[in-house]
């Protein structure tokens, strides 16, 4: 039996050029500066190679490699913040949605906040297709869901007082004032 460590790889956009770089993540106490140390074979000492291979990256673009995807005969690297299409291929799995790969509570998940779907990334009854990522292809999915009040149509902020309820089987939101003026109309969640 072979026991070993999995190599943890990150990707991020290089400051200035926006080019994707891959390697080890280096983050100092200040969250404003992140670096990727790219793997390069050279004659330099380990310490010198470490310093010379460091590339400053945009902290918001850092994503961890989460595994490989197989679709047909193609293999692709999958990273955090990739936008993927999930399709059920097993008996009884009717999944068919687009979402963003996110790390939640110790597991890699595919999340679509607008549709309120959150499913494990890896499943024997589903296949994933990488469509892009949230940085290069923001049009692929709206990352932040912005609910509106059922009564006044203004945005409902999740930190403000509001009601979250079901009306005719559909989840709707309402500002507290609007809901109380209408004496409610549905089952509060």
């Amino acid at each position: 039996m072979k026991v070993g460590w999995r190599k943890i790889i990150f990707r991020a956009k290089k400051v200035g050029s926006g080019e994707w770089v891959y390697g080890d993540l280096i983050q100092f106490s200040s969250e404003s500066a992140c670096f990727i140390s790219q793997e390069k074979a050279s004659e330099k000492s380990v310490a010198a190679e470490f310093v010379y291979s460091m590339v400053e990256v945009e902290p918001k673009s850092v994503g961890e490699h989460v595994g490989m995807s197989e679709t047909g005969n193609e293999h692709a690297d999958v990273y955090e913040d990739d936008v993927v299409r999930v399709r059920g291929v097993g008996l009884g799995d009717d999944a068919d949605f687009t979402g963003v790969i996110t790390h939640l509570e110790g597991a890699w998940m595919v999340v679509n906040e607008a549709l309120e779907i959150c499913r494990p990334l890896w499943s024997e009854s589903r296949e994933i297709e990488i469509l892009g990522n949230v940085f290069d292809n923001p049009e692929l999915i709206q990352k932040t869901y912005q609910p509106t009040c059922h009564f006044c149509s203004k945005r409902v902020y999740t930190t403000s007082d509001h009601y979250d309820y079901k009306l005719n089987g559909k989840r709707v939101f309402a500002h507290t004032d609007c809901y109380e003026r209408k004496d409610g109309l549905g089952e509060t969640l």
Side-chain angles (χ1 to χ4, degrees), residues 21-42:
V21 292
Y22 302 82
D24 296 319
L25 178 65
I26 302 159
Q27 188 172 11
F28 298 103
S29 60
S30 166
E31 290 186 22
S32 62
C34 285
F35 300 87
I36 295 270
S37 177
Q38 296 177 299
E39 292 183 11
K40 295 180 180 176
S42 73

Side-chain angles (χ1 to χ4, degrees), residues 4 6 17 36 42 46 48 56 62 69 71 80-81 84 98 103 108 112 115 136 145 150 156 164 169 174 179:
R6 128 180 127 85
S17 72
I36 295 270
S42 73
V46 173
E56 187 174 4
V62 172
S69 167
T71 305
E80 183 175 9
D81 290 322
V84 296
T98 300
H103 193 259
W108 291 108
N112 183 314
L115 297 176
D136 294 336
Y145 178 51
H150 177 71
V156 173
D164 183 357
Y179 185 83

Side-chain angles (χ1 to χ4, degrees), residues 113-166:
E113 292 180 12
L115 297 176
E116 299 178 354
I117 298 173
C118 181
R119 301 267 171 80
L121 173 61
W122 306 116
S123 170
E124 292 179 7
S125 65
R126 284 183 223 121
E127 63 180 30
I128 63 167
E129 173 187 0
I130 302 168
L131 303 175
N133 62 69
V134 297
F135 306 104
D136 294 336
N137 316 98
E139 73 282 357
L140 290 176
I141 191 163
Q142 183 181 11
K143 189 151 189 209
T144 55
Y145 178 51
Q146 301 176 350
T148 56
C149 177
H150 177 71
F151 301 107
C152 71
S153 300
K154 292 183 182 171
R155 174 145 186 235
V156 173
Y157 294 92
T158 55
T159 56
S160 68
D161 283 337
H162 71 277
Y163 280 95
D164 183 357
Y165 65 101
K166 282 195 173 184

Side-chain angles (χ1 to χ4, degrees), residues 26 35-37 44-55:
I26 302 159
F35 300 87
I36 295 270
S37 177
K44 299 177 186 143
S45 70
V46 173
E49 185 165 335
F50 175 76
V51 171
Y52 289 118
S53 68
M54 286 176 49
V55 176

